[in-house]
Amino acid sequence: KDYGTHILLSEHTYAQVRDAFPNTREISFAHVRGRGARVRLYELIPDGVYPNLDWLDEFARARTLFQAERRDEALPIFQHLADSMHDPVSAFYLQRQNHPARRVED
C-alpha cells in the first residue's frame, strides 16, 4: 500500500516465481515481523499497467544511485519517472526523501 503497487512479493516468493513472471522489479527492503533481517521486496507488474517497461532500467539506476547516497542524482530520475510514467514507486521515493524521519531503508 505504501508503494502504490498492485502486488508485492518478498524475495523468497520472488525466487520461486521469477521465471513465470518476468515483469518484476526490486523496489526496496523492509523489516518483516518475525524475521531478524531485512527482506527484499519486488513488485509484480501486471500486463497493461504501463504502455511499456523500457524505463525499468532507468528506475533500477535511480535506486542504485539512491542506495549509494547519490540522491542528488537519483531524485531527478525518480521525478521524471513519477511524472512521465505515473510510477507510484518513484513517487514513493520522492515522498520519503522529503520526510527524513521516514526514509526508505536502502
Side-chain angles (χ1 to χ4, degrees):
K1 191 166 147 181
D2 289 343
Y3 300 101
T5 62
H6 297 280
I7 303 169
L8 280 180
L9 306 171
S10 72
E11 62 188 284
H12 309 292
T13 302
Y14 173 71
Q16 295 175 19
V17 301
R18 71 175 154 216
D19 294 334
F21 298 101
N23 296 339
T24 58
R25 65 173 162 169
E26 183 178 337
I27 60 170
S28 189
F29 290 93
H31 289 282
V32 178
R33 285 182 222 163
R35 295 187 185 259
R38 297 184 313 166
V39 174
R40 290 180 192 272
L41 296 178
Y42 293 83
E43 176 188 16
L44 177 86
I45 303 171
D47 290 337
V49 171
Y50 301 104
N52 67 64
L53 299 177
D54 298 340
W55 56 275
L56 289 180
D57 288 339
E58 195 174 0
F59 174 83
R61 181 173 172 269
R63 272 201 74 241
T64 299
L65 291 167
F66 195 89
Q67 290 172 317
E69 298 294 327
R70 295 171 54 188
R71 294 181 178 165
D72 57 325
E73 297 173 64
L75 294 177
I77 299 169
F78 286 134
Q79 187 68 61
H80 169 71
L81 295 176
D83 294 343
S84 66
M85 298 308 300
H86 306 288
D87 177 34
V89 180
S90 293
F92 168 83
Y93 274 91
L94 292 168
Q95 178 186 15
R96 293 299 185 191
Q97 181 61 26
N98 294 329
H99 298 92
R102 300 173 62 193
R103 272 200 155 139
V104 177
E105 296 186 36
D106 283 318

